[in-house]
Structure formats: structure tokens, C-alpha cells
Amino acid sequence: MLYWFLKWVALGPVLRLVFRPKAFGVDHVPETGPAILASNHLSYADWLFMPLTLQRRVTFVAKAEYFTSPGIKGWFQKKFFTGAGQVPIDRSGANAAEGAMKSAMKILGEGDLFGIYPEGTRSHDGKLYRGKTGVARLALESGAPVVPCAVVGTDVVAPNGKVYGSWTRPVVRFGPPLDFSRYAGMENDRYILRSITDEIMYEIMRLSGQEYVDLYASKAKELDKEAREAAKQEAARQSAAAAAEEAGTDEAGDGPEQKAS
């Protein structure tokens, strides 16, 4: 009930009025039955704008901490995330990935739409990164079709590291459903999982127009951080070298003047 209140009364109308998001290919999303909406991930605002363009509810999984924090703040946080269409990762599994899979299977088993970001984390530079194979495993185990999706412009509205950005009109594009039933029973074949995931990422790239990088986003962030740190250290080294050279030149210049006097 809270989900629909936020979508149609409290939050949704404000987002529609202010940002006027555009949507294309909405008819590719099944009107009934389970489906996996696999999207790119540019901003924390993605999970607000993509569901806003659909009549059906879209559910994502989120960290369990969002639902278990103590106190009044924790209570409001739990209510908001639940109402916004997110459910906690099932922690009964051996790890978070297994827990997310269990939660997703439950959602799809109930005939609902499940939203997933195959990259696993937000893109730090606007590029599209290699997808993790969990989306492929989920498609094979559930039998649900995968609808590729691209959200464009949310990194302008809500850039990484900032609460607010600049105004733009977000665009959401849905592609035709992808059916992987031909691979039924092969969910433990890592080559099949990689092939399916790459096909999904290709469709997302086609819809989003992003540059694709065959590297996991988390690794790319790590390399970028190391590069920035190395550049900072090199700049500091060059600055120190320049200062030392300048000091040496001054001293060398003083000698002849002193001797001449």
C-alpha cells in the first residue's frame, strides 16, 4: 500500500512534475507474470525513475542494514525502502549473493517484476561495465524473461558523491524481452552464464549508448582510485623537485655576487 502511495501521491507526482521523465518501449514489459528488468546503473536515482514509468510494481533487493537499523530513524528508513519497492537480502544464505538470489526468486515466484543492476555497483564515470553472471543464473533458475533497460540522465540529476546535481529530463528505454529457455538446466555452466550475461549487457549498451568496458565496475573504480593517487603523488614529487631546483638556483646565484663584492 505504501508503495502505491509514494508512487502515485507523495513522491511520484513531484518527480514527474519537476523532471518529466520520458519512457520508450514500455510495451516490452509484460503486463502480467514475472520478468527481470536488467538495467544500467548511473546513479542512486535510477531505482526511482525506472519504476516511475511503469504501471506495475518493480522490486529490488537492498542491504539488510536498511531494514534493521534501530531507533526512530531506522523505523522510517525501513518504511521508506519497503514502500519504495525494495526488500532486504535474505541473510539465511551463506553469503550476500546467495541471499539476493533467494529474495529475487521469491519475488519472481510470486509473478512480480524484479529489478537488477548486472554491473553490481554504480558506474563512476558514465561508462557501462561488465555484467556479473547472477542475472543469467536468475533467468535460468526462474525461467523469467529478461527485459533490458537503460536509464539515461540520472547521473546529471544525482551525480555520484553528491546529493543534488543539475536539472535534466531523464530517459528510460526498455528493449524487447530476452528468452533464454534454450539454456534451461545449464545454470551451472559458467560459459553459458557468461554468454547470457554478455548478451544482456550488449542490449543495455545498445539502449543506453554508453561506452562499454570489459571490466567489472568495482575493479575499474579501484584502478581509477590508484591512478588518481599515483598522479597526486607524482604532482607532489614534481612540485618538491621544482622547489628544490629553485632553491639550488638561488644559492648558486648568490655565490658569484658575493665573490664579486
Side-chain angles (χ1 to χ4, degrees):
M1 183 63 71
L2 181 57
Y3 177 89
W4 302 112
F5 174 76
L6 289 173
K7 184 171 183 175
W8 299 114
V9 180
L11 185 60
V14 175
L15 293 176
R16 290 191 187 90
L17 178 65
V18 174
F19 295 103
R20 298 183 295 121
K22 294 185 291 184
F24 301 92
V26 174
D27 56 316
H28 290 311
V29 180
E31 294 184 359
T32 60
I36 302 165
L37 305 184
S39 175
N40 62 333
H41 200 11
L42 293 172
S43 165
Y44 67 81
D46 294 338
W47 61 273
L48 291 174
F49 285 103
M50 187 261 274
L52 198 63
T53 64
L54 300 173
Q55 296 294 319
R56 297 182 62 186
R57 171 174 176 147
V58 182
T59 304
F60 298 84
V61 293
K63 294 187 297 185
E65 289 75 12
Y66 289 154
F67 302 84
T68 58
S69 298
I72 298 298
K73 180 181 178 181
W75 184 85
F76 278 105
Q77 184 172 266
K78 176 182 177 181
K79 289 296 182 182
F80 174 78
F81 280 104
T82 301
Q86 300 207 23
V87 296
I89 291 174
D90 186 337
R91 291 297 189 181
S92 63
N95 51 53
E98 183 182 337
M101 181 69 71
K102 285 188 175 182
S103 297
M105 287 294 292
K106 180 180 179 182
I107 293 163
L108 293 169
E110 293 172 351
D112 295 329
L113 299 177
F114 176 72
I116 187 172
Y117 301 112
E119 291 170 278
T121 186
R122 287 173 289 178
S123 171
H124 67 289
D125 57 6
K127 298 177 182 178
L128 182 69
Y129 287 92
R130 195 181 200 209
K132 296 188 175 182
T133 58
V135 63
R137 184 181 298 278
L138 182 61
L140 295 186
E141 291 191 6
S142 67
V146 178
V147 179
C149 171
V151 184
V152 180
T154 50
D155 54 336
V156 176
V157 174
N160 285 335
K162 297 181 181 179
V163 178
Y164 303 106
S166 304
W167 185 90
T168 193
R169 193 174 183 183
V171 175
V172 184
R173 300 188 184 98
F174 298 95
L178 303 174
D179 178 14
F180 298 108
S181 58
R182 62 190 182 277
Y183 298 119
M186 304 178 72
E187 58 270 14
N188 293 320
D189 187 322
R190 62 190 182 94
Y191 296 105
I192 293 296
L193 295 179
R194 173 46 55 194
S195 176
I196 291 173
T197 303
D198 289 345
E199 182 177 340
I200 294 170
M201 298 310 293
Y202 175 81
E203 291 301 318
I204 294 175
M205 178 189 70
R206 188 179 61 81
L207 292 167
S208 69
Q210 293 170 274
E211 177 184 346
Y212 179 76
V213 180
D214 193 22
L215 186 71
Y216 290 120
S218 55
K219 182 62 177 179
K221 288 182 180 181
E222 181 183 326
L223 292 175
D224 184 64
K225 182 178 179 181
E226 291 176 357
R228 284 186 283 107
E229 186 61 33
K232 188 183 299 183
Q233 292 177 0
E234 178 62 18
R237 186 193 67 77
Q238 291 184 3
S239 178
E245 183 178 353
E246 183 179 351
T249 301
D250 288 342
E251 291 174 2
D254 288 342
E257 292 180 4
Q258 291 174 351
K259 289 180 181 180
S261 62

